[in-house]
Amino acid sequence: PELQRQPGYMEQRSLSGARRGTLFHAALRAMDLERIRAAGPGLKDEIVRTLDALVQRGVFTPEERAAVRAEYIFTFFVSSIGQRMLSSPRVEREWAFNWLWRDASGRAALVQGVIDCCFLEEGAWVLVDYKTDGGEAAEAIARHRPQVALYAQALSQITGLPVRERALYLTRRGRAYVC
């Protein structure tokens, strides 16, 4: 006999790319930077412990936890930009903002956003935007550069400190690109 298809509510659905990105951001924010800094050779284990704790606390489902690749988080923390962030005296992650943007003619628009990560380095901000989507680096940089530039302008005006560097961190490539 032929097997019948399961009802829709019983079917396993894969997570969308946008949902995977949201989960990656949430996982990075959940990382205790003091524990990450102190982890040394146990860094991978610390990351896995934190991700597993998110399931135990009901923040992630087991399926969501499986979608967050610990090696991507590890690669970020051991990258040059990740090490610089960990050395910073001030790190902000998933920092929501509202900002009144004005163009050259004086027209205004309210910009709302969330800065993935920014940290102070030598008295100025380094802005990092994480992207979990695939594709070519050049295409990703071109696609996301306007957003990163706008966020840098907002960050500088809101805090009164300059943005010295803007970076796009592509998780699948495991590296940051100047944006």
Side-chain angles (χ1 to χ4, degrees):
E2 190 173 308
L3 293 175
Q4 292 191 0
R5 185 175 169 190
Q6 290 182 325
Y9 72 89
M10 292 181 70
E11 288 183 15
Q12 177 118 9
R13 300 191 203 310
S14 63
L15 298 172
S16 71
R19 181 69 182 141
R20 287 176 188 274
T22 299
L23 293 169
F24 179 82
H25 284 245
L28 264 178
R29 182 172 186 188
M31 296 293 145
D32 181 324
L33 295 184
E34 291 308 315
R35 292 179 68 119
I36 294 295
R37 288 177 180 116
L43 178 58
K44 283 184 185 177
D45 293 335
E46 178 60 34
I47 291 167
V48 169
R49 269 193 301 277
T50 301
L51 293 173
D52 291 345
L54 292 173
V55 175
Q56 292 169 354
R57 293 189 346 238
V59 176
F60 285 179
T61 66
E63 178 189 21
E64 290 170 333
R65 162 60 183 95
V68 177
R69 298 181 60 178
E71 61 266 22
Y72 287 172
I73 295 171
F74 174 80
T75 301
F76 171 73
F77 283 125
V78 298
S79 72
S80 172
I81 198 118
Q83 289 293 295
R84 288 168 55 201
M85 180 202 70
L86 290 172
S87 296
S88 175
R90 181 174 177 193
V91 178
E92 299 292 343
R93 296 175 290 165
E94 301 300 319
W95 202 10
F97 69 88
N98 294 310
W99 172 59
L100 189 61
W101 170 83
R102 293 191 186 280
D103 69 8
S105 69
R107 287 182 304 181
L110 180 64
V111 176
Q112 296 179 313
V114 178
I115 293 171
D116 295 346
C117 177
C118 59
F119 58 91
L120 284 178
E121 189 175 71
E122 299 175 11
W125 291 109
V126 175
L127 174 67
V128 183
D129 195 56
Y130 319 120
K131 296 298 178 191
T132 57
D133 50 347
E136 293 298 318
E139 292 171 9
I141 292 165
R143 187 171 54 252
H144 299 294
R145 182 177 282 131
Q147 174 200 351
V148 174
L150 189 65
Y151 281 23
Q153 190 178 1
L155 178 60
S156 180
Q157 287 193 6
I158 290 168
T159 65
L161 295 172
V163 174
R164 68 184 302 223
E165 185 178 334
R166 301 180 312 213
L168 191 65
Y169 184 83
L170 302 181
T171 60
R172 293 186 188 194
R173 295 192 172 272
R175 79 176 268 217
Y177 297 84
V178 175
C179 190

